[in-house]
Amino acid sequence: MGTIKMNRAKSAAAAISYALGRNRMKSETKEWLIEHGCPPGALKNNDRAVVRSGINISPTYANAEMKAVRQHANGDTVKNQAIRIIQSFAADDLDITKPENWQICNEIGYEFARRAFGGLDDENEEGYYPPYQIAIYTHVDGKGHKLHNHIIINKTNLHDGKQWTVENLDQEWRSFREINDSVCREYGLKITQERSKKVKKTISERELEMKGKYVWKNDLRARIDGALAELKKENINLEEALKARGVDVRRRGQNGISYAFVDNEGKKRISRGQRLGTNYERESVDEYEQEVKRQREQAQRAREAARSVRHDVRRSTIDAVQNYQQQLEQSIGASRERVKRVGERKRAIIKLVRSLQQAIDRSIALMKRLRADFERRKAEMKRFQAKIWKMDSIKSYQDLERQMRLAAEAADQSKKTAPKAIVAVTLRDGLPENSSNPLIAATADMTRYLVMIDQGTWSGGQFEFSGREKKALANATPVQLQKINGIAKRQAKRLSGIVDEAVEQQKKNAERLRAKNQGKRYRR
C-alpha cells in the first residue's frame, strides 16, 4: 500500500540536503536492520539515501544543478523553490530488511514522478519525460521502519523557464494519488480504499486530525449533519435547524451556498459548500430538503385519507371484526373440546397400555416360574432315575415285580440266612404293615422285600402287592414312584444294618461262650 504526502519547500537546497543525508545514517537504524535479517554488507554507505535516481538531473549533484537552472531562468528569486513529495510503503508490500526491495521502492518513486510531471504520449507509451528536474531518494530510517522515497521537484520549467504553479494543492494531490495508485497496481502492491468525495479534506486538515487537534471544518460538517438529520424528525426547515446550532446559511444564485459560524476557538469561519464536500453543496442540500418535504406531504395525505373514511365504512369494518372475533371464539371453544376429548382418549390408551404391560409382565413371570418348575421336576426325574438301583426300566408295578424276582434269585446265591424273627421285629418297629394309604403300604411291602433279599431270608416265593397297592402304583406319577423307591431303599439299608449288627453280636456271644467252656481267654 503506497501513500503520498505533498507540500511546498521554500529552499530546494535544504530539502535535497535532508533527503540525500550524507553520513547521517544513524547507528540505531543499522543495528535494527541487521538484527531483523538485513545483510551487513548492504549498509556500507552511511548516507540516509540507500538508493537514488533522477530525471533530467544527477541525484548526487542535484542541489547545484537545480540552482543553476533557477538562476538562468529568473535569478533564483522564487519564493518556494521546490515541491516535496514523500512516498511511503507498508511492510506487507515491501520488506525493508531486503536490499532488493530498496531498488524496487526507488523505481516506483521514479515512475510515479515521471508520470505525475510528464505522463504518457498520445499512443499511451512512455514516450517523453517531464520538463522538470526531479531527484528521488530512498530511505530505510524513520520511526515506523518503512521504506519511503523523498521526491524533490525543481519548480522551474526547463523549456520556458516558468514556474510550476497550481491553484489548489489539495486537488493536485488527489490527481497525484490516482497516479500513485496506478503505478502501485502495476508493481502488485495493495491500494488504499478510495476516499469518498462526499467529504473533502485538505492536507492541512488531515495533518491536524493526525495530531489530534481541533479542525473547524469537521465541527461545521457535524453541525450541518445534525441539522439535516433533524429535518426528518421535526417540521422545520434547514435554516431554522442550522440557526439552532449557531450556523448561518446563505444561498447565492442558483448553485451557490455558504455556511458561517463561530468555532470553538472564538473565530468566525465561513466556508462554501463545495469546499466541504458534495454532501454539503447546494444541489445535495436542496434535494435532501425536497425529499423530506415530499415524505411529509405523503404522510399528511395518508393521515387525511384515514380521517376521511365514512362512519358507515368504519362501522361495517368494526362489525366484520366482531363477527370474525365471535367465530374465532367459537372455533377456539370447539377446538378446546376436541383437545379435551383427545386428552381423555390419550389417557385411556395410556392406562390400557400400562395394564397390558403389567399383564405381559405377569405372564412372563409365570412362564419363568413354570419353566423353573419344569426344570426342577426334570432334574428330580433325572436324580430319581439315577438313584434307582438296577430298576431303571421300572415304569409300572409289573416291571417292579419282575425286577424284584430277578434280584431275589441273585440274592439266594450270595446271602446267608438270618433269623426271620429279627427281620419281622425290625419291620414291625420301622414301618406299619397295614396302612390306610396304599402307597405307604406298598412302600412298607417293598422295604420288607428288599430287607429279606439283603439278608438272604427270601424263601423263594413270589412277591406280590395287594390289589389296592397295585392300583395305587398303576396310577402313581413318576415323582411318587421316585419317592416310594427312595424311601424303600433308605429303610432297607437302615434295617439291613440293624440285622447285620444283631447277627454279628450273636456270633460274638457264641464265640465268647465257646471260649469260656474250653477255658480259654476270649480275644476281642
Side-chain angles (χ1 to χ4, degrees):
M1 180 176 65
T3 60
I4 58 172
K5 295 180 181 179
M6 182 176 178
N7 55 32
R8 299 180 178 90
K10 293 183 179 180
S11 172
I16 293 172
S17 176
Y18 180 85
L20 185 59
R22 292 184 181 277
N23 296 320
R24 294 180 186 174
M25 170 84 68
K26 295 183 179 180
S27 58
E28 293 85 350
T29 300
K30 287 187 176 182
E31 292 174 358
W32 186 92
L33 290 171
I34 294 173
E35 181 180 351
H36 287 78
C38 180
L43 299 170
K44 293 181 179 180
N45 194 342
N46 291 326
D47 295 344
R48 296 187 66 191
V50 294
V51 182
R52 62 192 77 173
S53 61
I55 300 175
N56 301 321
I57 198 172
S58 171
T60 306
Y61 306 102
N63 183 20
E65 294 181 12
M66 288 183 181
K67 184 176 181 180
V69 171
R70 290 195 301 272
Q71 287 180 344
H72 178 74
N74 49 39
D76 199 13
T77 58
V78 181
K79 182 178 180 181
N80 295 313
Q81 298 177 347
I83 298 295
R84 176 171 47 208
I85 298 175
I86 299 176
Q87 185 184 37
S88 301
F89 301 92
D92 295 340
D93 289 327
L94 294 177
D95 188 354
I96 195 172
T97 62
K98 297 181 179 180
E100 58 269 22
N101 288 337
W102 303 351
Q103 185 63 38
I104 295 174
C105 177
N106 191 269
E107 292 176 0
I108 295 174
Y110 182 95
E111 182 62 20
F112 159 73
R114 190 193 67 76
R115 294 188 189 182
F117 291 89
L120 304 175
D121 59 13
D122 295 337
E123 296 180 356
N124 198 30
E125 295 180 356
E126 301 176 2
Y128 69 92
Y129 284 78
Y132 296 98
Q133 294 172 306
I134 305 174
I136 303 97
Y137 305 95
T138 301
H139 288 192
V140 294
D141 56 0
K143 294 181 179 180
H145 296 288
K146 295 181 181 179
L147 272 173
H148 59 279
N149 292 322
H150 286 256
I151 304 174
I152 312 299
I153 303 98
N154 191 13
K155 292 175 59 176
T156 304
N157 192 302
L158 295 175
H159 295 167
D160 55 15
K162 295 182 179 180
Q163 298 298 305
W164 182 79
T165 57
V166 60
E167 294 181 359
N168 192 324
L169 190 61
D170 183 61
Q171 292 181 354
E172 192 69 23
W173 172 84
R174 292 181 184 276
S175 64
F176 283 178
R177 189 188 65 187
E178 295 177 357
I179 296 173
N180 178 67
D181 292 346
S182 177
V183 175
C184 289
R185 287 192 191 96
E186 295 178 6
Y187 278 84
L189 273 61
K190 298 178 182 178
I191 305 302
T192 56
Q193 184 178 2
E194 295 292 339
R195 295 184 179 87
S196 173
K197 295 183 179 180
K198 295 180 180 180
V199 177
K200 295 181 180 179
K201 293 183 180 181
T202 63
I203 295 176
S204 59
E205 286 181 64
R206 286 192 293 275
E207 289 178 351
L208 290 174
E209 287 178 353
M210 293 176 64
K211 295 177 182 179
K213 295 184 178 180
Y214 173 74
V215 181
W216 67 268
K217 283 188 178 180
N218 289 345
D219 187 6
L220 178 58
R221 292 188 189 96
R223 299 188 188 194
I224 298 172
D225 291 339
L228 293 173
E230 189 178 2
L231 294 183
K232 287 187 176 182
K233 302 178 182 179
E234 305 291 341
N235 189 15
I236 59 176
N237 56 31
L238 181 62
E239 284 76 4
E240 293 174 350
L242 286 173
K243 188 174 182 180
R245 289 167 171 75
V247 179
D248 295 329
V249 59
R250 178 183 177 186
R251 290 180 171 86
R252 299 177 293 101
Q254 295 182 351
N255 299 322
I257 187 172
S258 60
Y259 306 92
F261 81 117
V262 178
D263 65 6
N264 293 346
E265 297 175 350
K267 297 180 181 179
K268 186 176 182 179
R269 303 287 189 178
I270 301 175
S271 177
R272 295 181 181 180
Q274 63 182 5
R275 294 187 179 275
L276 299 176
T278 56
N279 284 347
Y280 309 95
E281 294 180 356
R282 173 73 175 272
E283 182 179 0
S284 299
V285 172
D286 290 346
E287 288 180 357
Y288 186 84
E289 282 189 299
Q290 291 296 328
E291 178 63 21
V292 173
K293 184 178 179 181
R294 184 180 64 81
Q295 293 178 1
R296 287 176 183 169
E297 291 176 353
Q298 289 180 351
Q300 182 65 23
R301 287 194 296 269
R303 288 192 294 269
E304 292 176 357
R307 287 194 298 268
S308 64
V309 179
R310 293 182 302 177
H311 177 74
D312 56 348
V313 176
R314 292 199 301 272
R315 185 68 261 172
S316 62
T317 304
I318 293 172
D319 293 340
V321 171
Q322 290 178 349
N323 293 333
Y324 176 75
Q325 186 175 1
Q326 292 176 358
Q327 295 175 2
L328 183 61
E329 291 176 354
Q330 293 175 358
S331 300
I332 291 173
S335 300
R336 287 176 179 172
E337 291 296 330
R338 288 195 295 272
V339 170
K340 184 177 180 181
R341 290 195 297 271
V342 171
E344 292 176 352
R345 191 179 297 112
K346 181 179 179 181
R347 287 190 291 273
I349 292 173
I350 292 173
K351 184 176 180 180
L352 177 60
V353 170
R354 288 178 179 174
S355 300
L356 291 175
Q357 184 65 40
Q358 292 174 359
I360 291 171
D361 293 340
R362 289 195 297 270
S363 299
I364 292 173
L366 179 59
M367 290 174 66
K368 288 182 177 179
R369 288 196 297 273
L370 291 175
R371 178 70 177 176
D373 187 60
F374 173 75
E375 294 293 338
R376 181 177 57 79
R377 293 179 181 273
K378 185 177 178 181
E380 289 177 356
M381 287 293 296
K382 288 182 178 180
R383 288 194 298 272
F384 171 69
Q385 292 174 0
K387 289 182 179 180
I388 295 178
W389 176 60
K390 296 182 181 180
M391 293 183 182
D392 294 337
S393 60
I394 293 176
K395 296 183 180 177
S396 64
Y397 73 93
Q398 292 88 351
D399 295 334
L400 181 61
E401 290 177 344
R402 185 172 58 253
Q403 292 293 339
M404 286 181 176
R405 285 194 298 270
L406 295 175
E409 293 175 359
D412 288 339
Q413 299 176 0
S414 59
K415 291 290 183 177
K416 296 180 179 180
T417 61
K420 188 175 181 179
I422 299 176
V423 177
V425 173
T426 306
L427 289 173
R428 188 170 56 251
D429 294 338
L431 293 171
E433 295 182 2
N434 296 315
S435 176
S436 60
N437 190 329
L439 290 178
I440 295 176
T443 303
D445 291 339
M446 189 186 300
T447 303
R448 186 182 299 109
Y449 169 70
L450 292 173
V451 172
M452 288 179 179
I453 292 174
D454 185 60
Q455 298 300 323
T457 59
W458 180 251
S459 60
Q462 186 176 359
F463 174 79
E464 286 191 13
F465 293 106
S466 66
R468 192 163 58 95
E469 293 174 352
K470 290 180 180 180
K471 186 177 179 180
L473 289 170
N475 295 328
T477 62
V479 176
Q480 291 173 332
L481 289 175
Q482 177 188 4
K483 290 182 179 179
I484 290 170
N485 287 298
I487 294 171
K489 290 175 67 176
R490 287 195 298 274
Q491 291 294 336
K493 184 177 180 180
R494 183 177 67 82
L495 295 175
S496 295
I498 293 172
V499 173
D500 289 341
E501 289 179 359
V503 172
E504 186 66 26
Q505 186 63 36
Q506 285 182 348
K507 290 181 179 180
K508 290 181 180 180
N509 292 335
E511 289 290 336
R512 185 166 50 251
L513 292 173
R514 189 182 299 114
K516 184 176 182 180
N517 294 331
Q518 294 178 0
K520 297 180 180 181
R521 185 178 180 182
Y522 174 72
R523 182 176 297 176
R524 292 179 180 272

